[in-house]
Coordinates of all heavy atoms in Angstrom, one line a residue:
G33 N -50.2 -2.9 39.8 CA -49.3 -3.1 38.8 C -48.0 -3.9 39.1 O -47.6 -4.8 38.5
V34 N -47.4 -3.6 40.4 CA -46.2 -4.3 40.7 C -46.5 -5.9 41.0 O -45.7 -6.7 40.8 CB -45.5 -3.7 42.0 CG1 -46.3 -3.9 43.2 CG2 -44.1 -4.3 42.1
F35 N -47.7 -6.1 41.5 CA -48.1 -7.6 41.8 C -48.1 -8.3 40.5 O -47.5 -9.4 40.3 CB -49.4 -7.6 42.5 CG -49.9 -9.0 42.8 CD1 -49.5 -9.6 44.0 CD2 -50.5 -9.7 41.9 CE1 -49.9 -10.9 44.4 CE2 -51.0 -11.0 42.2 CZ -50.7 -11.7 43.4
F36 N -48.8 -7.8 39.5 CA -49.0 -8.6 38.2 C -47.8 -8.5 37.4 O -47.4 -9.5 36.7 CB -50.3 -8.1 37.4 CG -51.5 -8.6 38.0 CD1 -52.3 -7.7 38.9 CD2 -51.9 -9.8 37.9 CE1 -53.3 -8.1 39.5 CE2 -53.1 -10.4 38.6 CZ -53.9 -9.4 39.3
L37 N -47.1 -7.4 37.3 CA -45.9 -7.3 36.5 C -44.7 -8.1 37.1 O -43.9 -8.6 36.2 CB -45.5 -5.8 36.4 CG -46.2 -4.9 35.5 CD1 -45.7 -3.4 35.7 CD2 -46.4 -5.3 34.1
A38 N -44.7 -8.3 38.4 CA -43.5 -9.2 38.9 C -43.7 -10.5 38.4 O -42.7 -11.2 38.2 CB -43.7 -9.0 40.4
R39 N -45.0 -11.0 38.3 CA -45.2 -12.4 37.8 C -44.7 -12.6 36.3 O -44.4 -13.8 35.8 CB -46.7 -12.8 37.9 CG -47.0 -13.3 39.2 CD -47.0 -12.5 40.3 NE -47.4 -13.2 41.6 CZ -47.1 -12.5 42.8 NH1 -46.7 -11.2 42.8 NH2 -47.3 -13.1 43.9
L40 N -44.5 -11.5 35.6 CA -44.1 -11.5 34.2 C -42.6 -11.9 34.1 O -42.1 -12.3 33.0 CB -44.4 -10.3 33.5 CG -45.9 -10.0 33.2 CD1 -46.0 -8.7 32.5 CD2 -46.7 -11.0 32.5
T41 N -41.8 -11.8 35.2 CA -40.4 -12.1 35.1 C -40.1 -13.6 35.1 O -39.0 -14.0 34.7 CB -39.8 -11.6 36.4 OG1 -40.3 -12.2 37.6 CG2 -39.9 -10.0 36.5
G42 N -41.0 -14.4 35.2 CA -41.0 -15.9 35.1 C -41.3 -16.6 36.4 O -41.6 -16.2 37.4
D43 N -41.2 -17.9 36.3 CA -41.5 -18.8 37.4 C -40.2 -19.0 38.3 O -39.2 -19.4 37.9 CB -41.8 -20.2 36.9 CG -42.3 -21.2 37.9 OD1 -42.4 -20.8 39.1 OD2 -42.7 -22.4 37.6
L71 N -54.2 -16.0 39.8 CA -53.5 -14.7 40.1 C -54.5 -13.8 40.9 O -54.1 -13.2 41.8 CB -53.2 -14.2 38.9 CG -51.9 -14.5 38.2 CD1 -51.5 -13.7 36.9 CD2 -50.7 -14.5 39.2
R279 N -36.3 -13.0 41.3 CA -37.8 -13.4 41.3 C -38.4 -13.5 42.7 O -39.3 -14.5 43.0 CB -38.1 -14.6 40.4 CG -37.8 -14.4 39.0 CD -37.9 -15.7 38.2 NE -37.3 -15.6 36.8 CZ -37.1 -16.6 36.0 NH1 -37.4 -17.7 36.3 NH2 -36.5 -16.3 34.8
F281 N -40.8 -12.2 44.7 CA -42.0 -11.4 44.6 C -42.3 -10.7 46.0 O -42.7 -9.4 45.8 CB -43.1 -12.3 44.2 CG -43.0 -13.0 42.9 CD1 -43.7 -14.1 42.5 CD2 -42.1 -12.4 41.8 CE1 -43.6 -14.7 41.4 CE2 -42.0 -13.0 40.7 CZ -42.6 -14.2 40.3

Side-chain angles (χ1 to χ4, degrees):
V34 71
F35 181 87
F36 287 99
L37 290 176
R39 269 72 183 166
L40 296 179
T41 59
D43 186 359
L71 284 179
R279 299 174 189 171
F281 298 155

